[in-house]
Amino acid sequence: MSIRETRGGMTRLLLVCISLVLLLANCKEEENQTPEQKLLTQGKGLYVTNCSACHNQNPAVDGAVGPAVKGSNFELLKARIVSGTYPPGYTPKRTSQIMTRLPLNDDQIRSIEAFLNAP
């Protein structure tokens, strides 16, 4: 085994160990969260994973494809996320109809709503 192979293996092992420590620290941090904090954490995770590519990492700022969504309510979020429609009487910020539907349940949508309405 060459020195280069040993260094590469050690670097990979170090990265795995660091990732594991960060994962365990995050799990411990979540244990100490209030139900409201857990809701916000879940909402942020769902938003970043499912929404930020089109809307923006910062929900208060327009994205490349989707508009800013900060302050959106449950009714609007559910209509857009689940069925790709708008609530009755709602005037869209953009006229495009390209939003992808997602298989999220009411609890997940409520957590996104909590994140989007957090101060």
Side-chain angles (χ1 to χ4, degrees):
M1 182 176 288
S2 72
I3 292 175
R4 177 176 280 164
E5 291 172 333
T6 303
R7 281 190 199 152
M10 293 299 291
T11 300
R12 278 191 232 89
L13 179 60
L14 181 60
L15 289 173
V16 168
C17 289
I18 290 171
S19 298
L20 184 58
V21 167
L22 291 174
L23 178 65
L24 291 173
N26 189 38
C27 289
K28 188 69 173 171
E29 196 174 287
E30 286 181 12
E31 286 177 8
N32 297 326
Q33 290 182 334
T34 66
E36 183 178 288
Q37 290 169 324
K38 286 181 182 180
L39 187 69
L40 291 174
T41 299
Q42 180 188 22
K44 181 178 182 179
L46 287 166
Y47 177 82
V48 168
T49 302
N50 296 292
C51 312
S52 65
C54 295
H55 287 280
N56 196 309
Q57 196 80 2
N58 177 350
V61 176
D62 285 341
V65 177
V69 290
K70 179 90 174 145
S72 295
N73 65 35
F74 178 79
E75 182 181 29
L76 172 61
L77 292 170
K78 183 166 182 170
R80 294 301 295 148
I81 291 169
V82 175
S83 61
T85 62
Y86 291 99
Y90 182 83
T91 303
K93 294 178 182 177
R94 295 186 181 175
T95 57
S96 66
Q97 298 290 321
I98 61 173
M99 184 164 156
T100 303
R101 292 181 186 108
L102 301 169
L104 300 179
N105 64 40
D106 284 0
D107 289 338
Q108 292 170 315
I109 295 169
R110 287 203 187 282
S111 70
I112 294 171
E113 176 191 29
F115 169 68
L116 295 178
N117 288 282

